[in-house]
Amino acid sequence: MSKQKKMTLTLPTEELVGSGNLACQGCGANLALRYVLKAFGKRTAICIPACCWAVIDGPFPYSCLGIPVYHCAFETAASTATGVKAGLEMIGDTETQVIAWAGDGGTFDIGIQSLSAAAERNDDILYVCYDNEAYMNTGIQRSSATPTGAWTTTTPVKFPKDQPKKDIDAIMAAHRIPYQATASIAYPEDLYKKAVKAKNIRGTKFIHVLAPCPTGWKSRPEDAVKLARLAVQTSYFPLYEVEDGEKYTLNFKIQNKKSIDEYLKLQGRFRHLKPEAIAAIQAEVDRNWDRLLKKVTAR
């Protein structure tokens, strides 16, 4: 008999996201919050705007989270978190951490003004965007995080999205906040370490997590982690950190970069694409990767 490898548990065992929540099967956003809260612990308050997690959390007065939750308006995740943090400090509580937890619609689009303002002030909050690349909670509508060529209900097969995904990470780097990072549910230790690092830094922190959505991506629930891993291995979604808007650190060095087609073919939202469209997406991914490498080596 071949010897089986022993798995080493490196993340805390405490769970602050309860079972029986309302997430869909294979929900990447559900895993993302589990890992972040393992890093932050119970001395945390979270502000959730309109998004999938506003539903996943459960109907009032119930909540699947073992921490205080403040549900707020779609555009106000960052400003609400700023207010909660200021209120805590006014009563002498300097230990409780505050997280703004929003989807890509509430970050790239509707909430970008309050996020930019909080970053400009360098408010002491962590803002996490779990990015499932569309307005999934309201029926899979296109957002500015939706990638080129993707099907959504507002970019149907005959008229797929023909604009590139907004570079929210470059926008946040331009604010020169103390810390920002990209992360993936397929690399939980990396996400956990980044959350711990953010927890110990004062000022505005921003973590961008790719969170596959089987419902909106038309993929199998059991492929969620596989898709998140392929996104990194194809360099579609690189893992890196930025400190003070200038110091770039690459966290995952790709040895044998996979073709973007391996990532796209598992998702029904790209099934309509012709070979020339896939080649154009590959070229876009390669350009973005080269641009990132120049930032990493420039320092």
Side-chain angles (χ1 to χ4, degrees):
M1 288 178 66
S2 60
K3 291 183 179 179
Q4 289 188 342
K5 265 187 165 183
K6 288 186 178 180
M7 290 184 67
T8 304
L9 186 65
T10 56
L11 301 186
T13 57
E14 183 180 37
E15 292 285 356
L16 294 176
V17 177
S19 59
N21 61 58
L22 300 179
C24 300
Q25 288 185 335
C27 174
N30 193 15
L31 277 176
L33 188 51
R34 282 181 64 194
Y35 298 145
V36 170
L37 289 185
K38 284 178 180 291
F40 269 66
K42 290 184 177 179
R43 289 298 298 269
T44 306
I46 193 167
C47 301
I48 304 176
C51 62
C52 290
W53 251 105
V55 176
I56 294 170
D57 183 44
F60 180 84
Y62 304 103
S63 171
C64 70
L65 297 178
I67 57 171
V69 181
Y70 193 115
H71 287 279
C72 57
F74 217 149
E75 70 276 15
T76 65
S79 55
T80 301
T82 293
V84 171
K85 182 64 177 179
L88 289 168
E89 289 180 343
M90 287 184 70
I91 61 172
D93 183 352
T94 58
E95 292 184 32
T96 300
Q97 300 275 345
V98 180
I99 299 174
W101 186 267
D104 52 279
T107 303
F108 287 61
D109 300 336
I110 294 173
I112 196 168
Q113 87 289 15
S114 62
L115 171 58
S116 177
E120 186 271 329
R121 293 188 301 264
N122 198 29
D123 293 328
D124 188 22
I125 61 170
L126 169 64
Y127 192 109
V128 179
C129 172
Y130 66 89
D131 180 6
N132 51 32
E133 300 189 321
Y135 289 88
M136 299 305 184
N137 184 44
T138 54
I140 320 175
Q141 297 91 3
R142 163 217 198 278
S143 78
S144 62
T146 303
T148 306
W151 166 92
T152 69
T153 55
T154 52
T155 53
V157 168
K158 290 184 178 179
F159 304 97
K161 185 170 182 277
D162 56 5
Q163 300 84 14
K165 179 171 181 166
K166 182 186 286 183
D167 192 348
I168 192 69
D169 302 300
I171 291 170
M172 295 311 297
H175 288 77
R176 291 181 170 81
I177 57 176
Y179 182 73
Q180 70 182 87
T182 62
S184 168
I185 61 163
Y187 299 86
E189 292 180 3
D190 178 74
L191 173 52
Y192 174 79
K193 287 176 184 176
K194 287 170 177 173
V196 169
K197 190 170 181 177
K199 181 180 179 181
N200 293 309
I201 295 173
R202 292 297 301 270
T204 304
K205 290 82 59 177
F206 179 81
I207 298 180
H208 179 194
V209 186
L210 186 68
C213 171
T215 304
W217 291 17
K218 293 184 177 291
S219 58
R220 300 188 308 171
E222 60 266 34
D223 284 340
V225 172
K226 182 178 181 179
L227 280 166
R229 186 177 297 113
L230 279 170
V232 175
Q233 293 173 340
T234 58
S235 75
Y236 170 76
F237 194 86
L239 300 183
Y240 63 96
E241 299 167 282
V242 187
E243 296 173 71
D244 301 317
E246 296 179 351
K247 181 184 176 184
Y248 282 72
T249 303
L250 195 62
N251 304 121
F252 184 87
K253 295 180 180 178
I254 303 172
Q255 302 298 331
N256 297 301
K257 194 163 88 166
K258 295 182 181 293
S259 165
I260 195 64
D261 187 51
E262 293 192 44
Y263 174 67
L264 300 180
K265 68 184 180 183
L266 297 177
Q267 305 172 60
R269 61 178 178 157
F270 295 113
R271 195 168 293 138
H272 58 281
L273 294 181
K274 299 286 193 290
E276 57 270 23
I278 294 173
I281 292 171
Q282 181 69 71
E284 180 187 335
V285 168
D286 292 341
R287 284 194 301 272
N288 292 339
W289 176 247
D290 290 341
R291 191 179 299 120
L292 174 62
L293 290 181
K294 288 176 183 175
K295 292 177 181 178
V296 172
T297 57
R299 57 188 179 86

